[in-house]
Amino acid sequence: MVNNRYKILLVEDEANIRTIIATLLETSDYQVIQADTCIMAKTMFSSYQPDVIVLDLGLPDMDGMHFLEFVRKEQQSLIPIIVLSARAADQDKVEALDAGANDYVTKPFSSAEFLARIRMTLRNYRHSAEEGRLPGGKFHLKDLKIDYDARQVFIGEREIHLSQTEYNIVALLSEHCGKMMTYSSIIKGVWGYSNEGSTKKLQVNMANIRRKFGVKPGENWYITNELGVGYRMNGERE
Ligand code: CA
């Protein structure tokens, strides 16, 4: 039997939650490998080479952050990791994202949103792993087009005239499309350093970008802001 289904390593210690998520994923045609401790997660990770990891942080033997660091640092793996946690504090999200998590879903969550995050994460990972930037150094997302070589941004046929800094922010977010980027990771990527006023500076630039894109208040656009955490370029409408 040829099995082309994506393998998801689900690390969650609460049996009922694990069963609900596993069923949800299996119904959506993913293959699910389950682990209920950090130790077991490490074994499963090495034996099954999953395509994506869904990771609860509150585990009985060790903190889920330990497994996150094991995958990123010891295994040097870029496999997408979606952190699933009841911890809703901004600092926890920022910490997990800065340690290399691709996304963060806070319990309780809706099935539809959770599945959308998985699809988006898998698609963006495949995109960056196999294709890198699109042929000709271009990025496409719905009406948005970025020409990396010419450093130009278009919405449909209209060119958006951005400053160097604004362009760098948009390009950086597009290169990590679908990933929630923390303020500090964007600041480091764009300015190379951060200081007291950096987040404010980033927000001011983002407001300018939004205005130049012609986005009206309350309107959905390509970039979402999670207050206190960071920005994400949306790979899929949620
Ligand atoms: Ca738990």
Side-chain angles (χ1 to χ4, degrees), residues 127-128 131-139 148-149 167 171 174-175:
H127 177 79
S128 57
E131 300 166 49
R133 293 167 180 183
L134 292 175
K138 291 195 175 57
F139 172 86
Y148 292 120
D149 297 331
Y167 171 83
S174 73
E175 284 164 13

Side-chain angles (χ1 to χ4, degrees), residues 32-177:
V32 183
I33 300 140
Q34 304 184 23
D36 58 4
T37 60
C38 251
I39 297 288
M40 192 174 191
K42 285 185 186 181
T43 308
M44 294 300 189
F45 174 80
S46 308
S47 319
Y48 290 94
Q49 299 178 311
D51 298 292
V52 60
I53 297 170
V54 174
L55 176 66
D56 175 35
L57 291 183
L59 296 169
D61 56 344
M62 274 173 268
D63 196 284
M65 287 294 288
H66 173 84
F67 179 63
L68 180 56
E69 279 161 14
F70 163 80
V71 172
R72 288 289 183 263
K73 292 202 179 127
E74 282 181 48
Q75 301 292 310
Q76 298 276 305
S77 168
L78 292 174
I79 175 179
I81 300 176
I82 300 173
V83 166
L84 190 63
S85 180
R87 299 176 195 169
D90 294 341
Q91 193 45 46
D92 292 323
K93 294 185 189 179
V94 168
E95 209 179 294
L97 293 165
D98 279 342
N102 296 63
D103 210 341
Y104 195 109
V105 177
T106 307
K107 295 174 189 171
F109 53 87
S110 83
S111 310
E113 189 197 338
F114 178 65
L115 290 171
R117 294 286 181 89
I118 299 251
R119 280 197 304 274
M120 192 164 84
T121 303
L122 275 167
R123 196 174 58 218
N124 293 323
Y125 181 63
R126 287 203 310 280
H127 177 79
S128 57
E130 290 166 16
E131 300 166 49
R133 293 167 180 183
L134 292 175
K138 291 195 175 57
F139 172 86
H140 277 274
L141 179 66
K142 288 172 269 190
D143 283 349
L144 173 67
K145 190 176 88 185
I146 302 172
D147 183 331
Y148 292 120
D149 297 331
R151 295 175 64 86
Q152 285 175 308
V153 175
F154 299 86
I155 301 281
E157 297 300 308
R158 178 170 67 98
E159 186 180 351
I160 311 295
H161 296 280
L162 301 174
S163 72
Q164 290 295 313
T165 300
E166 291 159 6
Y167 171 83
N168 289 341
I169 294 169
V170 172
L172 181 72
L173 289 172
S174 73
E175 284 164 13
H176 299 272
C177 183

